[in-house]
Amino acid sequence: YWPLSTALDRMPDDPGTRVAVALATRPERPGRTLRAAAQGGFVGRPRRAAIERAALSAAPALRAAGVLVVVLGGVSVEYTLYAGAGARQFSDIDLLIAAEDVARAQTILRERSYVPGEGSGKWARQTGDPIVPLIVVDLVRTLPCSGTNVADLLARRVEITFPQQNQSLPVLAPVDALDHTLARFGAATSAPVTRPRWTLIADAIRYARTTTPRSLPHAEVLAGWAVARSHWPQLPAIPTRLPAGEEAPR
């Protein structure tokens, strides 16, 4: 499936062309091929582009309605830490808002053709694209760190720029993003799992190379760091700003 994935990543955002490539490469089971493509196996760059466009549309609409918002997750991390190089995968848009703004946010999403989806806070919009059929938005009101004040996080938000679109999105301040990422990593590994979520620890280490952690981290942040140290004992005992030397060649 790797050659097909690579080919589709290089295709223009034309659903007909991508479907034709998928069917030509795997003609023996067309139903399975199309389902796999729709679920993300062959989407790559077109999926990222569709989700980015939706985020660049939804966040300004919410702000225009007076809803303070921060974009969480892969969409923000891809440009905050990885310079939009496609190194960070994502499948939806996580938007942090205050609890009192939920009703207004839902109204804005409805106006943009989103409907309530599966799970609390999830909204979905049909795209008409057989490869990326849905755009999913998750309205987030709480974060893993206990005692975190969402209003403070929203007030400390910063902007990141999408150079190709010449637009910006609000994201967590770097120290808040580090805390959030480590807390998520700790929560994700607190239950028995086959493997840790390495993308989260990679994000956390990159954040720790560009910002100074808090002197008194939350317990959930320390838990996430402890899990990271269980795999990399060379990390400091507590979250510390790491040297930002050059990465080893790939």
Side-chain angles (χ1 to χ4, degrees), residues 71-141:
V71 180
L72 303 171
V75 176
S76 65
V77 170
E78 166 68 8
Y79 282 83
T80 303
L81 300 178
Y82 300 99
R88 188 64 159 80
Q89 298 298 311
F90 44 86
S91 58
D92 61 4
I93 304 167
D94 298 320
L95 300 178
L96 177 66
I97 60 174
E100 59 268 24
D101 286 334
V102 169
R104 275 191 293 173
Q106 292 174 342
T107 298
I108 296 301
L109 291 179
R110 283 195 181 93
E111 291 173 353
R112 307 187 78 80
S113 301
Y114 287 88
V115 297
E118 297 180 1
S120 176
K122 291 189 180 296
W123 291 71
R125 174 173 62 82
Q126 298 278 351
T127 66
D129 184 336
I131 301 299
V132 191
L134 284 177
I135 297 293
V136 177
V137 171
D138 192 0
L139 296 178
V140 180
R141 291 168 288 174

Side-chain angles (χ1 to χ4, degrees), residues 5-250:
S5 176
T6 302
L8 287 170
D9 271 359
R10 295 174 180 174
M11 288 286 170
D13 289 350
D14 172 52
T17 302
R18 298 201 304 275
V19 169
V21 171
L23 292 176
T25 307
R26 294 281 177 173
E28 68 278 5
R29 302 188 70 176
R32 181 179 179 184
T33 298
L34 290 177
R35 282 196 301 272
Q39 291 167 1
F42 307 144
V43 179
R45 186 177 64 186
R47 175 177 63 182
R48 292 195 300 271
I51 295 173
E52 288 170 6
R53 287 195 299 269
L56 288 167
S57 173
L62 290 169
R63 286 189 291 185
V67 176
L68 291 181
V69 60
V70 155
V71 180
L72 303 171
V75 176
S76 65
V77 170
E78 166 68 8
Y79 282 83
T80 303
L81 300 178
Y82 300 99
R88 188 64 159 80
Q89 298 298 311
F90 44 86
S91 58
D92 61 4
I93 304 167
D94 298 320
L95 300 178
L96 177 66
I97 60 174
E100 59 268 24
D101 286 334
V102 169
R104 275 191 293 173
Q106 292 174 342
T107 298
I108 296 301
L109 291 179
R110 283 195 181 93
E111 291 173 353
R112 307 187 78 80
S113 301
Y114 287 88
V115 297
E118 297 180 1
S120 176
K122 291 189 180 296
W123 291 71
R125 174 173 62 82
Q126 298 278 351
T127 66
D129 184 336
I131 301 299
V132 191
L134 284 177
I135 297 293
V136 177
V137 171
D138 192 0
L139 296 178
V140 180
R141 291 168 288 174
T142 60
L143 295 181
C145 279
S146 61
T148 299
N149 188 305
V150 171
D152 291 341
L153 296 178
L154 293 171
R156 289 195 295 266
R157 68 193 183 281
V158 297
E159 298 283 329
I160 57 171
T161 300
F162 284 59
Q164 294 180 344
Q165 293 86 355
N166 195 28
Q167 291 179 264
S168 62
L169 281 181
V171 300
L172 291 174
V175 68
D176 294 326
L178 173 60
D179 285 354
H180 174 55
T181 304
L182 283 170
R184 286 185 65 202
F185 185 64
T189 54
S190 60
V193 292
T194 55
R195 60 181 181 179
R197 294 185 61 180
W198 299 118
T199 53
L200 291 179
I201 195 57
D203 295 346
I205 289 175
R206 282 178 176 263
Y207 276 122
R209 292 169 61 185
T210 58
T211 189
T212 301
R214 300 183 195 282
S215 57
L216 296 174
H218 293 284
E220 293 86 353
V221 174
L222 292 174
W225 189 262
V227 174
R229 289 194 73 236
S230 70
H231 297 282
W232 291 282
Q234 65 269 36
L235 288 174
I238 60 173
T240 305
R241 183 160 184 164
L242 303 176
E246 293 186 1
E247 296 185 16
R250 297 182 180 181

